[in-house]
């Protein structure tokens, strides 16, 4: 299963063992457990970053000869421990509170994948104490290679969002529906909106915005689209569905049957399939809509991302009442484009923008 998740940081020890002197005394434990701030679960290939560690003290820290050090390993990249703080040479400061550690070992690496990081605080008198360890996953990302289906093809019609910094080159391919027989001549962005001025990236890792798009509440979605573009109504979704499947006779407000496979894109992240294979919803991608299973976000005080690999969710512009609005979604195990209701303020999901008129001077 695609590892688009943040591994929990958990302190752990190892099983008890005897000291080398043959006594029956087992090792003691250091006080506390390792806490980490600034962890980057997704980084660009070749990037470096810094973390801050806290939480561990030596039971005899006020006694000479009882200092702490820190080392870490990264599976498949740096399997031999890199000792950052060395007891007796440059030990961890006391108290160990937000001590910086630079993670350099991804610098220059060209390997895409998910790796296991293990950091350990150890005692100078290490035979008397177990190290306190912390484990997490880290995924290297390259926008062009990690999720090729999200990349813009500039040999085809595309739109550039001038609100973003020029160096970001934030562009979106455009589906011109009248070329498919749609009498409404509506233009749809082929990619999820990734406007950095609003919404949120996947677990706050901005590098993921370029591939998955950003997650917007309904209220944020009202103003997230560029000038000349808007949030589609449910009638717009019905029009799109009727273009993709002219025999569907779809109407706004109902589930659209037998269409999801045409809307999905056969996507892979770092070489691993995003949509799970399911015979009831075979991916044909005939619509070129490029729906990705980005899931959704509970955007409350503790934002939580759910449904990755299971759902593609998109806001409509249609309000149900003061608190709720309609959205469209695809579930991996069914071939329908379903309609649902969600909270305007606390549910965040993908946005596709549409334009009723050809954006002058911006389509290339």
């Amino acid at each position: 299963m695609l590892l688009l998740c943040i591994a929990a940081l958990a302190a752990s020890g190892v099983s008890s063992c005897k000291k080398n002197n043959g006594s029956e005394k087992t090792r003691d434990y250091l006080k506390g457990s390792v806490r980490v701030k600034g962890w980057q679960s997704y980084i660009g290939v070749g990037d470096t970053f810094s973390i801050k560690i806290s939480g561990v003290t030596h039971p005899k820290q006020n006694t000479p000869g009882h200092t702490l050090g820190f080392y870490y390993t990264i599976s498949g990249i740096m399997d031999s421990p890199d000792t950052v703080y060395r007891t007796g040479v440059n030990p961890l400061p006391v108290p160990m509170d937000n001590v910086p550690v630079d993670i350099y070992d991804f610098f220059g690496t060209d390997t895409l994948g998910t790796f296991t990081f293990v950091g350990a605080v150890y005692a100078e008198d290490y035979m008397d104490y177990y190290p306190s360890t912390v484990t997490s996953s880290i995924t290297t990302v390259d926008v062009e290679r990690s999720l090729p289906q999200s990349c813009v093809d500039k040999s085809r019609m595309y739109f550039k969002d001038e609100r973003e910094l020029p160096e970001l080159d934030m562009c979106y391919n455009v589906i011109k529906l009248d070329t498919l027989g749609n009498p409404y001549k509506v233009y749809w962005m082929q990619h999820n909106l990734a406007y950095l001025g609003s919404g949120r990236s996947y677990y706050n890792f901005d590098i993921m915005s370029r591939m998955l798009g950003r997650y917007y509440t309904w209220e944020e979605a009202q103003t997230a689209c560029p000038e000349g573009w808007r949030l589609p109504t449910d009638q717009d979704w019905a029009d799109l569905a009727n273009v993709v499947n002219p025999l569907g006779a779809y109407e706004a407000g109902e589930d659209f049957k037998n269409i999801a496979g045409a809307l999905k894109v056969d996507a892979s992240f770092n070489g691993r399939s995003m949509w799970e294979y399911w015979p009831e919803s075979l991916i044909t991608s005939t619509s070129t809509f490029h729906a990705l299973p980005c899931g959704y976000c509970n955007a409350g005080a503790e934002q939580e991302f759910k449904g990755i690999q299971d759902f593609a969710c998109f806001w409509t512009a249609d309000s149900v009442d003061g608190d709720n609005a309609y959205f469209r979604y695809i579930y991996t195990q069914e071939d329908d484009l379903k309609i649902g209701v969600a909270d305007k303020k606390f549910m965040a999901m993908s946005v596709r923008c549409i334009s009723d008129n050809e954006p002058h001077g911006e389509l290339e």
Side-chain angles (χ1 to χ4, degrees):
M1 192 168 184
L2 181 65
L3 292 176
L4 283 176
C5 60
I6 294 185
L9 297 176
S12 62
V14 294
S15 59
S16 62
C17 59
K18 296 181 181 180
K19 296 178 65 175
N20 285 350
N21 61 14
S23 72
E24 293 298 324
K25 181 181 177 181
T26 59
R27 289 185 183 180
D28 292 326
Y29 292 92
L30 299 173
K31 294 178 64 176
S33 57
V34 187
R35 298 193 302 270
V36 175
K37 291 183 179 179
W39 182 254
Q40 299 294 304
S41 290
Y42 298 91
I43 64 171
V45 168
D47 287 352
T48 64
F49 66 98
S50 296
I51 59 176
K52 293 182 178 180
I53 58 174
S54 305
V56 178
T57 59
H58 196 297
K60 300 178 180 178
Q61 67 178 16
N62 296 321
T63 304
H66 298 289
T67 58
L68 299 176
F70 179 82
Y71 65 85
Y72 67 89
T73 61
I74 302 172
S75 64
I77 291 181
M78 193 195 67
D79 294 311
S80 298
D82 182 6
T83 306
V84 181
Y85 290 94
R86 297 179 182 275
T87 60
V89 181
N90 62 327
L92 283 167
V94 177
M96 192 184 112
D97 184 23
N98 290 325
V99 179
V101 174
D102 294 325
I103 309 298
Y104 287 113
D105 299 278
F106 283 97
F107 182 80
T109 187
D110 196 39
T111 303
L112 298 176
T114 299
F115 307 90
T116 299
F117 169 94
V118 178
V121 175
Y122 68 97
E124 182 173 9
D125 43 346
Y126 62 91
M127 291 307 300
D128 290 330
Y129 297 93
Y130 295 126
S132 181
T133 62
V134 62
T135 302
S136 189
S137 68
I138 184 167
T139 298
T140 52
V141 173
D142 180 274
V143 174
E144 298 295 324
R145 294 184 295 144
S146 290
L147 185 55
Q149 295 80 9
S150 69
C151 296
V152 174
D153 180 359
K154 291 190 176 180
S155 68
R156 297 176 43 247
M157 183 164 43
Y158 72 94
F159 169 82
K160 184 172 183 179
D161 191 345
E162 299 293 349
R163 299 174 298 176
E164 306 286 12
L165 295 173
E167 57 267 28
L168 292 179
D169 194 29
M170 194 68 78
C171 300
Y172 306 85
N173 281 122
V174 176
I175 308 170
K176 189 176 181 182
L177 290 188
D178 65 331
T179 62
L180 300 177
N182 186 348
Y184 302 102
K185 296 185 178 180
V186 174
Y187 300 83
W188 285 73
M189 286 185 180
Q190 192 179 35
H191 313 285
N192 294 339
L193 184 67
Y195 173 49
L196 299 178
S198 184
R200 59 212 39 80
S201 56
Y202 183 73
Y203 278 110
N204 296 321
F205 299 113
D206 281 341
I207 195 169
M208 302 301 290
S209 295
R210 294 294 298 267
M211 294 182 290
L212 302 181
R214 291 174 73 83
Y215 299 76
Y216 305 86
T217 66
W218 188 84
E219 293 183 341
E220 292 168 339
Q222 303 309 299
T223 57
C225 291
E227 183 178 357
W229 296 79
R230 62 178 175 83
L231 195 62
T233 65
D234 199 52
Q235 183 59 57
D236 291 318
W237 283 97
D239 293 341
L240 170 67
N242 283 315
V243 169
V244 174
N245 181 10
L247 301 179
Y250 303 117
E251 295 184 4
E254 65 180 20
D255 291 343
F256 304 153
K257 304 290 185 180
N258 305 317
I259 196 174
L263 297 174
K264 296 177 182 179
V265 61
D266 189 9
S268 60
F269 181 88
N270 282 357
R272 303 188 68 176
S273 178
M274 292 191 69
W275 286 109
E276 181 184 359
Y277 171 78
W278 207 259
E280 283 77 12
S281 182
L282 296 176
I283 298 175
T284 66
S285 303
T286 53
S287 69
T288 69
F289 183 78
H290 281 190
L292 293 169
C294 299
Y296 58 90
C297 174
N298 292 328
E302 297 182 4
Q303 65 180 16
E304 183 179 9
F305 290 82
K306 297 183 176 182
I308 292 287
Q309 287 192 281
D310 290 328
F311 293 96
C313 303
F314 309 93
W315 281 119
T316 78
D318 295 352
S319 177
V320 177
D321 52 37
D323 297 322
N324 302 288
Y326 291 107
F327 71 100
R328 284 284 169 182
Y329 69 99
I330 297 170
Y331 179 45
T332 187
Q333 297 182 12
E334 299 180 15
D335 200 35
D336 302 336
L337 178 59
K338 293 179 174 293
I339 189 168
V341 174
D343 189 286
K344 294 178 178 179
K345 296 181 180 180
F346 298 110
M347 185 66 72
M349 58 188 71
S350 302
V351 163
R352 289 295 180 95
C353 300
I354 68 172
S355 178
D356 299 294
N357 301 293
E358 183 171 341
H360 296 290
E362 294 180 310
L363 286 171
E364 302 181 14

